[in-house]
Amino acid sequence: MKYVAPSGLKKKVNKPIKCLGMSFENEAARRSYFLTQLAHKLQQQDFKKIPGFPNATDEEILALSNPPYYTACPNPWLSDFLEQSVVTDTNYQREAFVADVTEGKNDPIYNAHSYHTKLPHKAITRYILHYTEPGDLVFDGFCGTGMTGVAAQLCADKQTVETLTNCKNVKVGARRAILNDLSPAATFLAYNYNTPTNILTFDKQAKTIIQKIKAEYGWMYQTRHSNILGDINYVVWSDVFICPNCSSEIVFWNVALDKQLGKLKTKFPCPDCDAELTKRNLDRALVTSFDAAIGKTIKQSKQIPVLINYSVANKRYQKIPDKYDLELLEKIENMQIPYWFPIIELPEGYNTNQAKSSHCISHVHHFYTKRNLHNLAYFNSILEDRIEFILTGILNRSSKMNRIHLKNFFFGGGGWNAGYLKGTLYIPSLSIETSITQQIETRLKSIKTAFQSLNSLPHSNIISTGCSSTIAIKNDCIDYIFLDPPFGSNLMYSELNLIWEAWLKVFTNNKTEAIINNKQNKDLEHYSRLMKACFQEAFRILKPGRWMTVVFSNTQITVWQSLKTNIEDAGFIIADIAALDKNVIISAYKANEQNSQQLEFIISDEASAIKWLKKFLNQQASSYQQIQPKFIKSIANCKPHEYLPELKQLLELNFIKSETDHWHIPNPQQAQELEKRREKHLLREFRQYQQHKRLKKIRTEALRVGFKQAWKQKDYQTIINIAEKLPEMLLYKNEQLLQFYELAKVSPP
């Protein structure tokens, strides 16, 4: 198969370059060579059997890829990339990064392109700086938009590193990253975030496209203002319902707005029969039309334009759509679109059914008004290379999912385009249609600002598309792993990415997608099995003695326990659990001889202190003076919020003192008596917690004993009250406490 490069890639850059140890005359020669190699690779059937191989034709995969740096399929050059790495410090020692991290999201890089979940790159930078040295290899198997790659590059920015909290005694310098994700949409975004671009060329290309769209279809976004035409900024569209009492049509915009409070009413009267109505008891009005794109007659929920915001001579106006506007929409509706656009049927799913059930949307192109679809299709037909990043950046905001911000609409204080509801395919009853060229202009400014920051950083990352349970690299080669995996049933990435991937023409192979989704017949067992395979692969490729950080965000105890068990079953040792904004951060390591001994005896809370003392005294009865120095030396990074009793109290409550003042392990009968005395002591402390509004420093052992007694007495409310006073992270760190709390919430009062 011969690959023909898109016209936008044929511009000659005569600067010689090196790539993976090979020399090329210029960038075009490099890209042509590796695309040809990838085309040959795609002919191999075994290659396409790799788990997670995306659903697409060879031509579509090649068109989206920029090998060897990025492939829209499993990347065959990962091992070659590894060979270019340098050997870093072999005398490696690190303790767990235990500080809770908070990082804002108001950053040009973070906001350049939306995604369902995205951790701030500066937060990830802290972990990479702590666990690695310059030149180290970082792996992210669930990379999303590639923020781990950005963070690895950011480690070279001394000015930024110096502004980060909890970053002492770190070495400034770029790290190299291998980024992988099952979703082609995610890796496409990661590629754009992690690849430099010529900003002047990018800006010129985008502005030329804007002018072409305005010249060809600007008339579609015009409205009459007296005897002249104004340019449309927004059009508000409203659902239309049927009154169950009199069967008349009800325009939601006309009846449901509470203008005094700036929100929707829960109850409102029918304008014809005055019956009191709620949205829940209304049927939707339907319209029947012929969809030429799929060659079928379809029924969809009726939506009509109710308000137009437009500009004349840089001044804004508002109007109710008039005859000119309605005739213009009818004209556009009757036009054929002469450009390609995705005609993809929505599969059965949790998120896809949101749009199906509410607005009878059956295909991807139904998410758009005909006007916006026409303009997007034309934009897609004339864009060049990196400009596709702007296209994906506006696809969701160009759809019927775009919401109106009612408070800002009525009272000001900000824009009234609220964007789409992330993590869903929800279509609101009041949506905003925005001019495509205005969206391109807005997104262009945002992306240019981000690219200016990113272009100053070194770029040494490689991106692959496929399942993270099968990474084609050797054992024990990665210096640090950062994973932000799917959280059970929280987000259905393959469904949510469907719109982007429909335009990119490369789709997620969701057979290996680790989610819980009844519509896809995926339960907790399925999720657990796939996650276990991913953690086993992470364990295989991580160097002994090195660390893995896992981000988790799910309130279901079963999902949390499954994830934690899978990490441990893969061979990792969990050393700490901390917080990153609203997420839980698990710090785990792959033991070697050195750190298995070093970390085995670390004291971080009361339970580990008692365990340490038992092990120490089991070897030899010892005096306080003999125990104390070694005990103090073993205390490292006591868990946040944890109160650690004094050594003397720990000894008195858990061990026996001989006549010679030596402490030793109690016999079974003595142990029972000590346990009763210890429980009484801990219950007294637990009762004191009930008097406090918030609990900052606590003894987890007191909570454990108190929750156990409250459960036995069926005093569920005490468990709930105390639990809700605790730092949320403390519950995640102790499965027993979390389980008591979860069960108490669902138990009868």
Side-chain angles (χ1 to χ4, degrees), residues 274-288:
D274 209 33
E276 187 178 78
L277 305 171
T278 65
K279 185 180 174 182
R280 285 183 177 276
N281 65 12
L282 294 175
D283 291 326
R284 293 181 179 273
L286 300 175
V287 289
T288 302

Side-chain angles (χ1 to χ4, degrees), residues 248-286:
S248 62
E249 287 194 346
I250 299 172
V251 179
F252 194 64
W253 173 266
N254 294 342
V255 298
L257 295 183
D258 189 326
K259 297 179 181 179
Q260 291 183 331
L261 297 177
K263 65 178 186 179
L264 293 174
K265 299 175 183 177
T266 54
K267 296 180 180 180
F268 43 84
C270 171
D272 287 341
C273 70
D274 209 33
E276 187 178 78
L277 305 171
T278 65
K279 185 180 174 182
R280 285 183 177 276
N281 65 12
L282 294 175
D283 291 326
R284 293 181 179 273
L286 300 175

Side-chain angles (χ1 to χ4, degrees), residues 45-94:
Q45 290 305 308
D46 286 345
F47 181 61
K48 291 185 176 180
K49 292 178 182 178
I50 295 174
F53 196 96
N55 297 322
T57 65
D58 293 357
E59 289 76 10
E60 288 159 352
I61 289 172
L62 290 166
L64 200 58
S65 300
N66 183 13
Y69 309 120
Y70 158 59
T71 58
C73 63
N75 196 319
W77 290 280
L78 296 183
S79 293
D80 300 278
F81 179 78
L82 284 172
E83 294 301 318
Q84 307 300 308
S85 60
V86 296
V87 178
T88 55
D89 185 12
T90 54
N91 188 26
Y92 177 88
Q93 284 189 345
R94 291 291 191 282

Side-chain angles (χ1 to χ4, degrees), residues 157-193:
D157 187 339
K158 184 178 179 181
Q159 186 176 356
T160 299
V161 170
E162 289 175 347
T163 65
L164 300 176
T165 57
N166 301 314
C167 281
K168 295 178 181 179
N169 303 318
V170 297
K171 293 182 181 179
V172 175
R175 281 66 166 165
R176 307 173 75 220
I178 296 176
L179 307 175
N180 180 82
D181 202 285
L182 186 67
S183 166
T187 54
F188 170 79
L189 301 182
Y191 160 67
N192 279 278
Y193 264 119

